[in-house]
Amino acid sequence: MAQTVAMMIYLFFNLLSHSFLPCMSSGFSLKLIHRDSPHSPLYQPNLSDFERFKKNTKISEARASYFQQWSEAMGKGNSNKLQNVSLRLPLKYHDPIFTVELGLGTPVVKRTLIFDTGSGLTWTQCKPCIRCFKQDQPLFDTRKSRSFKIMSRKNRLAKSFKCTPIGCVYYIGYYSGQISAGVVSVENFAFQTTAGVHRVPGLVFGCGTTNLGNFPPKISGIFGLDKEPISFARQLGSLIKERFSYCLQAINSNTKESYLRFGDEAMIRRTNAQSTPFLKTKQNAILYGLNLSDISIGGQKLGLKQGTFPEGCVIDSGSSVSLLNRIAFLAAKKFFTTYFSKFKNIRRYVGREVPKGFLCYTQPNGFTNFPNMTYHFQGADFHVPSANLFFFERKFFCLAMVTSPNVTILGAYQQRNVRIVYDLKDEMLSFAPEDCAKDAA
Ligand SMILES: *[C@@H]1O[C@H](CO)[C@@H](O)[C@H](O)[C@H]1NC(C)=O
Ligand SMILES: *[C@@H]1O[C@H](CO)[C@@H](O)[C@H](O)[C@H]1NC(C)=O
Ligand SMILES: *[C@@H]1O[C@H](CO)[C@@H](O)[C@H](O)[C@H]1NC(C)=O
Ligand SMILES: *[C@@H]1O[C@H](CO)[C@@H](O)[C@H](O)[C@H]1NC(C)=O
Ligand SMILES: *[C@@H]1O[C@H](CO)[C@@H](O)[C@H](O)[C@H]1NC(C)=O
């Protein structure tokens, strides 16, 4: 920390500040690229589909364990400063699912960032840097940008940071050993859209000068869209009519990118939309938690008792497959066991390639009786068709959900082909089924 403060002082006396170019517009979008799309900088061509599925499941499990510890710390009222809480979190595994590309500074330089609805402050590695992880893009050189400024402690967001008379610092720990710390700064951001470049001046972000741990070299920071006032979603505020949206495609060889849309573009065009409020419990102060009461499979309610989901269900884009807490998973597993036992040529499949905790079955030729699932949220039913409920290999298929002791997450695999709108003004999530492959730029 002392080093960071020293660097901040250094930056302070070496950087010039300039005024921004104002610009207003009602809607814009960003490409959202899944790690398994050949267009992704994170794409791993050598993995089989099942290996990718396993990897994505591990990412989701790691994510759940992160949320769990976070939620415990928040519940105990230890601190509402995630920056501090998360520093102590041990985590085995971390990899992003989606990346976005945007522009930063004047002149604009391209940044590839992790898209994360579970993170607050957007940050990127900055030059001059004390410790930076290896990244392919050149570090963001603050001295080369005419619009770079250090955030004033008079900024309304200053109370979210540790400030001294000369400025503020941030310190975020992600997962095990990954840290980004540096100077809280202000810059112009540029979003490339089909209508041209959309510029947003004066956004507060983290200029990371001390960044440790393993991040993929293809990325140079995090694009945070959680509920905190420091997140881009909240900072963009009325500029994006306080809403953003996405419609995730199923990934296959023909898949192009999905789109993250803001403002007027973040709309449900169909009439069959449903809405459910975000939970406002202490543990959900930052995350997009939804009030989940029960789950149906194949049209039958599991009959989960009230209180099965005390912290609700987090809708998350950084998890691929969904997670059900222990009680709900056991009930679902029991249902599937009974359900598939009715078909005489279907058996549990436990091949060598199948990790412990996966629920897989042999897949007879021509079998089509796959059940669907419905999440019963407060005032809205979120339907998961069987194509999003299972992962299909040739010989077998697996439930695309695993368990976590206490955390329930609605992951990206189950959100495919649904238009999802995060409405920060009315504090609710709206959704409707949509063919996301048709959600062109
Ligand atoms: C991927 O496979 C190719 C050919 O099979 C091999 O040359 C290459 O080293 C592999 N790359 C990785 C990262 O494993
Ligand atoms: C973080 O925690 C440490 C000790 O637990 C404390 O000294 C420090 O002030 C805290 N930082 C913030 C930003 O709350
Ligand atoms: C889910 O499956 C049940 C049982 O097969 C069926 O009755 C119901 O219509 C399905 N729900 C949807 C939305 O497809
Ligand atoms: C969750 O929804 C149920 C109705 O479905 C309601 O009774 C309960 O008060 C809600 N819980 C919270 C924390 O809003
Ligand atoms: C899960 O929650 C229960 C109480 O609801 C608690 O006893 C248990 O320790 C928690 N498990 C974990 C792994 O935190």
Side-chain angles (χ1 to χ4, degrees), residues 7 23 29 61 66 84 87 242 264 295 309 320 323 417:
M7 178 48 76
C23 165
S29 57
E61 284 170 335
Y66 178 58
N84 223 6
L87 279 180
E242 294 178 75
D264 282 342
I295 288 172
F309 306 100
S320 180
L323 290 108
N417 290 317

Side-chain angles (χ1 to χ4, degrees), residues 165-416:
I166 58 161
C168 309
V169 289
Y170 77 94
Y171 201 116
I172 310 174
Y174 296 93
Y175 305 58
S176 71
Q178 294 163 314
I179 284 168
S180 176
V183 182
V184 182
S185 309
V186 177
E187 252 300 7
N188 296 355
F189 279 74
F191 304 90
Q192 181 69 50
T193 76
T194 46
V197 177
H198 183 87
R199 282 172 196 278
V200 182
L203 291 173
V204 170
F205 78 109
C207 211
T209 53
T210 304
N211 310 286
L212 310 175
N214 289 323
F215 283 97
K218 300 285 182 190
I219 67 107
S220 45
I222 295 206
F223 183 66
L225 286 182
D226 73 12
K227 281 201 244 167
E228 292 177 278
I230 55 174
S231 90
F232 264 15
R234 295 282 303 282
Q235 283 193 57
L236 289 166
S238 57
L239 254 186
I240 57 164
K241 303 201 166 167
E242 294 178 75
R243 60 177 192 251
F244 64 93
S245 140
Y246 54 71
C247 190
L248 305 176
Q249 298 193 49
I251 306 297
N252 59 46
S253 51
N254 303 318
T255 307
K256 298 208 194 67
E257 54 286 321
S258 299
Y259 289 87
L260 173 64
R261 300 187 181 279
F262 297 92
D264 282 342
E265 289 199 15
M267 298 282 283
I268 297 183
R269 289 180 186 84
R270 294 164 175 254
T271 51
N272 54 348
Q274 299 184 69
S275 298
T276 185
F278 294 131
L279 273 178
K280 295 190 190 96
T281 59
K282 220 189 263 171
Q283 286 88 336
N284 282 290
I286 287 170
L287 299 173
Y288 296 103
L290 305 173
N291 183 357
L292 179 62
S293 57
D294 202 355
I295 288 172
S296 289
I297 307 177
Q300 257 178 277
K301 278 198 170 160
L302 293 180
L304 299 170
K305 287 202 194 75
Q306 205 186 343
T308 301
F309 306 100
E311 297 313 327
C313 170
V314 175
I315 180 162
D316 184 38
S317 55
S319 306
S320 180
V321 308
S322 290
L323 290 108
L324 294 177
N325 71 22
R326 202 180 57 85
I327 296 168
F329 191 82
L330 284 177
K333 187 173 170 182
K334 195 170 154 211
F335 181 96
F336 288 120
T337 305
T338 310
Y339 181 87
F340 288 117
S341 71
K342 288 185 295 196
F343 303 96
K344 67 176 191 310
N345 46 3
I346 292 195
R347 298 171 274 109
R348 237 342 252 288
Y349 182 74
V350 285
R352 208 155 28 97
E353 69 276 47
V354 176
K356 205 165 150 270
F358 277 41
L359 190 59
C360 303
Y361 292 90
T362 55
Q363 180 164 217
N365 281 338
F367 183 79
T368 54
N369 283 309
F370 300 103
N372 58 31
M373 186 186 267
T374 302
Y375 287 81
H376 301 291
F377 292 120
Q378 186 179 343
D381 286 342
F382 186 96
H383 183 65
V384 181
S386 55
N388 284 357
L389 186 55
F390 301 100
F391 172 85
F392 299 96
E393 254 297 52
R394 262 187 304 275
K395 286 192 308 180
F396 60 93
F397 63 94
C398 302
L399 179 66
M401 288 187 185
V402 288
T403 188
S404 139
N406 292 23
V407 175
T408 299
I409 295 177
L410 179 58
Y413 196 89
Q414 277 69 40
Q415 296 175 40
R416 301 180 308 173

Side-chain angles (χ1 to χ4, degrees), residues 9-31:
I9 294 166
Y10 172 80
L11 281 170
F12 227 84
F13 292 106
N14 281 279
L15 302 169
L16 297 168
S17 52
H18 293 261
S19 54
F20 333 114
L21 311 160
C23 165
M24 298 290 148
S25 160
S26 45
F28 59 98
S29 57
L30 279 181
K31 283 179 188 170

Side-chain angles (χ1 to χ4, degrees), residues 25-190:
S25 160
S26 45
F28 59 98
S29 57
L30 279 181
K31 283 179 188 170
L32 205 52
I33 307 183
H34 192 285
R35 59 178 295 114
D36 296 337
S37 156
H39 301 274
S40 171
L42 306 172
Y43 184 61
Q44 294 175 290
N46 286 14
L47 299 186
S48 71
D49 287 348
F50 190 57
E51 283 166 335
R52 290 199 177 99
F53 174 67
K54 286 195 277 192
K55 175 145 192 166
N56 290 341
T57 304
K58 271 194 175 161
I59 293 172
S60 307
E61 284 170 335
R63 191 91 170 160
S65 127
Y66 178 58
F67 288 168
Q68 168 72 34
Q69 295 170 66
W70 179 350
S71 153
E72 275 171 17
M74 302 277 245
K76 284 183 201 133
N78 276 358
S79 162
N80 59 1
K81 286 207 190 310
L82 172 64
Q83 273 109 319
N84 223 6
V85 173
S86 53
L87 279 180
R88 286 170 243 125
L89 301 182
L91 211 104
K92 307 129 224 157
Y93 201 90
H94 172 54
D95 256 316
I97 300 284
F98 290 101
T99 51
V100 290
E101 277 181 6
L102 40 75
L104 175 63
T106 314
V108 174
V109 294
K110 191 171 97 174
R111 298 290 87 180
T112 301
L113 306 177
I114 298 172
F115 165 66
D116 193 357
T117 51
S119 286
L121 188 69
T122 292
W123 61 265
T124 189
Q125 299 200 105
C126 279
K127 184 179 173 183
C129 178
I130 298 166
R131 282 280 302 270
C132 278
F133 58 83
K134 190 178 162 300
Q135 71 175 43
D136 295 350
Q137 290 171 335
L139 295 174
F140 179 65
D141 190 342
T142 55
R143 286 168 300 197
K144 288 193 177 150
S145 172
R146 290 194 305 277
S147 46
F148 179 84
K149 276 187 181 179
I150 285 168
M151 186 190 77
S152 152
R153 66 182 311 201
K154 295 200 185 87
N155 189 297
R156 68 185 172 86
L157 296 177
K159 59 180 178 297
S160 300
F161 303 100
K162 193 171 214 157
C163 295
T164 69
I166 58 161
C168 309
V169 289
Y170 77 94
Y171 201 116
I172 310 174
Y174 296 93
Y175 305 58
S176 71
Q178 294 163 314
I179 284 168
S180 176
V183 182
V184 182
S185 309
V186 177
E187 252 300 7
N188 296 355
F189 279 74

